[in-house]
Structure formats: C-alpha cells, structure tokens
Amino acid sequence: MANPKRRFSKARTAKRRAQWKLTLPSLNECPHCHHVKLPHRVCPYCGYYKGRQVVQVEAE
C-alpha cells in the first residue's frame, strides 16, 4: 500500500472541506392556504394534502 510522504497542509485540507455545503430544503406553496411547506407533506397550517383535508388543525 502506498503511504503519503508528507502530511497534507492545512490549506489543502481546507480547500477540500470548503465544498461541504448545507443545502436548503426545497419549499412549495400550499395550493389551499398559500403558506410555504415541504413537498409531499401535509400542510401544517391548514391540514390539506393533495386537495383534501387529512389532519384537523386547531385554530390559533
């Protein structure tokens, strides 16, 4: 097995790790109440999914 002759510099390691990015979750607008929600999930504001009410949401 090949072994490195010298250790990687901190700059080289940092350049490689600079590509680790967090991606924002994609958000869709609820067609019923027009709040933003995660795709393929019940809307937490109105309780609708695919045009029908799935969950009863208490009014605030």
Side-chain angles (χ1 to χ4, degrees):
M1 292 284 286
N3 287 326
K5 287 194 175 203
R6 291 177 289 285
R7 70 180 256 200
F8 284 117
S9 68
K10 292 174 186 170
R12 190 177 184 93
T13 306
K15 282 180 199 172
R16 185 178 64 247
R17 289 188 182 148
Q19 304 307 316
W20 295 0
K21 297 180 195 75
L22 290 175
T23 57
L24 292 173
S26 61
L27 297 173
N28 293 344
E29 182 181 291
C30 174
H32 189 258
C33 68
H34 305 291
H35 275 93
V36 290
K37 67 175 190 68
L38 291 171
H40 306 288
R41 304 233 179 359
V42 176
C43 179
Y45 300 100
C46 65
Y48 274 72
Y49 181 70
K50 289 191 175 180
R52 60 185 184 160
Q53 189 161 13
V54 182
V55 178
Q56 287 284 7
V57 180
E58 296 176 9
E60 292 182 7

